[in-house]
Amino acid sequence: MKKRYLALLLFYFGLVFGQNIPNSFAIDANYFTGNILKHAPDLGPLITGHPEGFLVSFSKKTYGNEEWERVYNYPDFGVYLLYQDFKNQYLGSTYAVGLHYNFYFLNRKLVFKISDGIAMVSNPHDNEFNNKNIAFGSKFLGNVNLGLNYKTKIIDHLSLQSGFMFTHFSNARIKSPNRGINTFNVNLGLTYDFDKNGNQIKDTTSFSMKFKERVKYNFVFRTGNNESAVVGSGIYPFYHLGFYADKRLNRKSAIQFGTELFLTKSSIDFIKYQSVAYPELNLDPNTDYKRVGIFVGHELFINRISLETQIGYYVYKPFKSDTALYDRLGMKYYFSKKLYSELAIKTHGFLAEALEFGIGVRL
């Protein structure tokens, strides 16, 4: 099961990264340290020190050869390697690899980094030997990082940067337990630019933010496996079927409105477990496990890649196990104007429910 998810993630990253890109590149290395955010009351035993780590990124520079590069002020994109020690005997440390984008502001002195990848944890939950680790129920995790840095040139090729960094690790409840760990950090690092000129020569060809397009209708099928909150209850498939309309506002953005049906098989046994373990709930073991939600969302179009955020509300949910609100953060890759794949995390606040692999059509 773990190997299958790893293969799918690597395949997805290969699709995203396999594009025509210019030759110039840069490397940056950052040290960071900070604090674990206590987003659940039972995380207390896992917060015993100040996590620290290193982030190394290899970036391809853009020069406006394509329109999206000019629209986004000539961003960088590439791969990253991350190591983080949580300074806790139960959590251990993590090693992550994935893709990143650097977006520039304030005359390219302010850098916003967003990165997404897969991680391996050194000390996952084990019922016998490490049952206090309620954060990581599996060896392999998803990793998301956000960073904001101010960059100052030291010499022609070398720059100093410092700022803030947020890291998130979770297996999206592929296997329980899965509280996940979020850390907020400060960082300090260096960037070396291999461009012999030391500066980008930008393409000044004009572009327009105006974008006219009729309302598009999307059908998306998302699937994967997850486990209920009961450790060892079994891993089952889920099927999420969605329909929504989207309207482009401009070159970068579209807004969404739609509905979806959730068929989460792990909920069937969880309902039966709850009805027996907690008789005071007066829960019928045959309660319908299906859920129906409505949602609004936003899609940020970059090139063939887009970033999607959604927030939804369950209008049909007989089994009251989670909050009525849910949210989703995902990344799409467009094979064509109509066909796309998707990798997304569906959560209830800070608690992940599912890592979704999707395929959709936009008509």
Side-chain angles (χ1 to χ4, degrees):
M1 184 68 66
K2 294 176 183 177
K3 291 181 179 179
R4 190 182 78 170
Y5 274 100
L6 179 60
L8 285 170
L9 284 167
L10 291 175
F11 173 71
Y12 195 85
F13 290 146
L15 287 176
V16 172
F17 197 55
Q19 305 177 63
N20 293 325
I21 46 183
N23 294 323
S24 296
F25 61 99
I27 181 173
D28 65 86
N30 291 273
Y31 165 79
F32 61 90
T33 184
N35 296 298
I36 295 176
L37 302 179
K38 190 177 180 181
H39 63 267
D42 50 2
L43 286 177
L46 303 180
I47 304 175
T48 55
H50 297 285
E52 62 179 354
F54 296 92
L55 174 67
V56 179
S57 303
F58 302 87
S59 303
K60 290 285 186 178
K61 298 172 65 176
T62 61
Y63 292 86
N65 296 331
E66 297 185 26
E67 185 228 17
W68 72 269
E69 300 171 357
R70 303 190 297 275
V71 169
Y72 284 93
N73 192 30
Y74 312 93
D76 307 333
F77 63 104
V79 297
Y80 74 91
L81 302 170
L82 181 147
Y83 166 79
Q84 187 167 11
D85 182 353
F86 294 108
K87 301 299 181 180
N88 180 273
Q89 60 177 322
Y90 307 118
L91 292 178
S93 55
T94 55
Y95 305 84
V97 60
L99 302 177
H100 76 88
Y101 274 91
N102 290 330
F103 297 97
Y104 291 90
F105 306 91
L106 299 180
N107 198 28
R108 305 188 71 80
K109 292 184 180 296
L110 189 66
V111 188
F112 174 67
K113 180 189 289 288
I114 179 171
S115 54
D116 188 12
I118 53 176
M120 183 176 68
V121 61
S122 65
N123 202 15
H125 175 88
D126 185 277
N127 283 336
E128 183 177 356
F129 300 106
N130 193 24
N131 57 20
K132 292 187 181 297
N133 184 350
I134 60 172
F136 306 139
S138 60
K139 186 77 172 178
F140 292 99
L141 311 169
N143 170 231
V144 177
N145 310 298
L146 301 173
L148 187 66
N149 283 276
Y150 189 81
K151 189 174 177 181
T152 304
K153 182 175 289 189
I154 301 175
I155 56 176
D156 286 344
H157 294 270
L158 192 65
S159 297
L160 177 71
Q161 61 183 20
S162 61
F164 304 98
M165 179 178 169
F166 171 83
T167 69
H168 168 78
F169 294 92
S170 166
N171 73 6
R173 219 175 77 186
I174 293 173
K175 187 177 180 182
S176 292
N178 182 52
R179 289 297 192 191
I181 290 294
N182 304 296
T183 64
F184 185 75
N185 311 277
V186 293
N187 67 275
L188 180 67
L190 295 171
T191 299
Y192 188 85
D193 188 346
F194 287 87
D195 185 348
K196 64 180 180 181
N197 296 318
N199 293 296
Q200 288 182 295
I201 303 173
K202 301 178 182 179
D203 185 334
T204 58
T205 304
S206 63
F207 64 88
S208 174
M209 287 293 291
K210 295 180 180 179
F211 196 97
K212 291 184 178 181
E213 187 179 66
R214 65 174 179 81
V215 174
K216 296 288 186 176
Y217 299 98
N218 293 257
F219 299 87
V220 59
F221 170 74
R222 302 180 177 100
T223 188
N225 294 293
N226 70 355
E227 187 174 30
S228 75
V230 180
V231 178
S233 59
I235 299 172
Y236 296 89
F238 62 80
Y239 310 102
H240 298 168
L241 308 173
F243 168 75
Y244 64 93
D246 76 66
K247 174 61 179 175
R248 290 287 287 265
L249 302 178
N250 52 41
R251 165 62 182 78
K252 294 182 178 181
S253 297
I255 53 174
Q256 306 170 340
F257 178 76
T259 184
E260 51 194 331
L261 170 66
F262 301 98
L263 304 173
T264 306
K265 298 297 184 179
S266 62
S267 296
I268 298 175
D269 282 352
F270 188 52
I271 292 172
K272 294 177 180 178
Y273 168 82
Q274 290 281 85
S275 68
V276 174
Y278 303 98
E280 66 274 14
L281 297 177
N282 295 316
L283 178 64
D284 183 348
N286 297 313
T287 299
D288 190 2
Y289 75 100
K290 295 186 289 293
R291 296 168 293 172
V292 176
I294 57 173
F295 66 88
V296 293
H298 176 268
E299 186 169 357
L300 181 69
F301 293 89
I302 302 176
N303 43 14
R304 285 183 176 266
I305 303 165
S306 70
L307 303 179
E308 187 175 62
T309 54
Q310 297 173 348
I311 182 167
Y313 178 82
Y314 295 114
V315 294
Y316 178 78
K317 187 173 180 282
F319 179 46
K320 311 297 182 183
S321 59
D322 296 307
T323 64
L325 293 174
Y326 65 90
D327 48 272
R328 176 182 287 117
L329 176 63
M331 179 172 64
K332 287 181 176 179
Y333 180 86
Y334 282 88
F335 298 103
S336 67
K337 291 183 178 180
K338 294 183 178 181
L339 181 65
Y340 58 84
S341 64
E342 183 176 3
L343 178 66
I345 295 179
K346 178 177 178 283
T347 71
H348 299 97
F350 282 104
L351 300 178
E353 178 194 323
L355 177 64
E356 302 170 319
F357 296 90
I359 188 77
V361 292
R362 184 172 183 261
L363 304 175

